[in-house]
Amino acid sequence: AQTVTQSQPEMSVQEAETVTLSCTYDTSESDYYLFWYKQPPSRQMILVIRQEAYKQQNATENRFSVNFQKAAKSFSLKISDSQLGDAAMYFCAYRTGITSGTYKYIFGTGTRLKVLA
Amino acid sequence: DVKVTQSSRYLVKRTGEKVFLECVQDMDHENMFWYRQDPGLGLRLIYFSYDVKMKEKGDIPEGYSVSREKKERFSLILESASTNQTSMYLCASLNAGEAFFGQGTRLTVV
């Protein structure tokens, strides 16, 4: 069974600085999707970034980028130029079912990010 | 704009009550999920459905059931609410590339 591990329950970063959130996963599948979701105090889950496992190039969305190491099964999120609005809970997620068509998302335990002014 | 709507943001129920949590999506997605979110445990999958009237157990289905009579609606049912089911419940609707979430229902069982 697939698992997703986030080993940092909480992180802090100074405004305008860079922070990296860690995520590792375990799977026997060769093709899958990985995601980072953000959950602010409003509780609404927001997709931050997505990575397809077959793509070697790391995904980037504005100030957010990932370091995807498929062999090491590692998927970290880098937030550059941190802003107060980045403060939230961040969840790493793995999506199974590429071949079966029956999608299933597995989430890590989350990392709470605090941004200090 | 895609939308997943959960019927309540906050709910307080008594032990032993039958509780219905409703979720509606307007994206014509086939896949819908119910998760439970607890501090330090992340999101845990309760049940999911990949088609009307189809359902599959997730990782923590005990004490819960689901209903999917129409494609757009996926209901989570607590047959006899207990205090250990006090939690945040999140509904999600999925396409191939992304999961869309409702705003969550914080359920308190007293």
Side-chain angles (χ1 to χ4, degrees), chain B residues 12-19 80-83 107-110:
Chain B
V12 180
K13 295 292 182 180
R14 294 197 177 276
T15 302
E17 273 193 80
K18 190 168 186 175
V19 181
S80 178
S82 64
T83 55
L107 172 67
T108 303
V109 182
V110 298

Side-chain angles (χ1 to χ4, degrees), chain B residues 5-70:
Chain B
T5 304
Q6 294 183 230
S7 52
S8 305
R9 269 183 81 81
Y10 299 94
L11 213 51
V12 180
K13 295 292 182 180
R14 294 197 177 276
T15 302
E17 273 193 80
K18 190 168 186 175
V19 181
F20 292 85
L21 303 183
E22 307 285 346
C23 177
V24 177
Q25 53 101 355
D26 63 1
M27 296 164 283
D28 201 35
H29 290 164
E30 293 178 344
N31 297 275
M32 295 186 74
F33 288 62
W34 275 106
Y35 289 92
R36 173 177 169 158
Q37 182 180 359
D38 298 288
L41 298 177
L43 278 70
R44 293 180 291 167
L45 182 60
I46 306 172
Y47 265 97
F48 64 105
S49 168
Y50 51 88
D51 202 352
V52 176
K53 296 191 185 294
M54 304 298 287
K55 59 186 180 185
E56 285 202 25
K57 293 180 180 179
D59 300 317
I60 52 164
E62 296 77 20
Y64 304 94
S65 63
V66 290
S67 172
R68 188 138 182 231
E69 296 295 319
K70 293 184 177 181

Side-chain angles (χ1 to χ4, degrees), chain A residues 33 35 37 39 41-47 50 89 91 95 101-110, chain B residues 9-10 31 33 35 37 40-43 45 48 50 88 94 96-99 101-106:
Chain A
Y33 281 47
F35 303 82
Y37 278 87
Q39 187 182 45
S42 68
R43 299 180 348 208
Q44 184 65 56
M45 294 277 276
I46 302 163
L47 176 65
R50 169 179 55 228
M89 182 73 88
F91 290 98
R95 201 205 80 184
T102 303
Y103 307 131
K104 189 175 171 181
Y105 280 63
I106 299 162
F107 287 83
T109 53
Chain B
R9 269 183 81 81
Y10 299 94
N31 297 275
F33 288 62
Y35 289 92
Q37 182 180 359
L41 298 177
L43 278 70
L45 182 60
F48 64 105
Y50 51 88
M88 169 82 81
L94 281 61
E98 186 176 346
F101 287 85
Q103 75 276 32
T105 296
R106 190 174 295 282

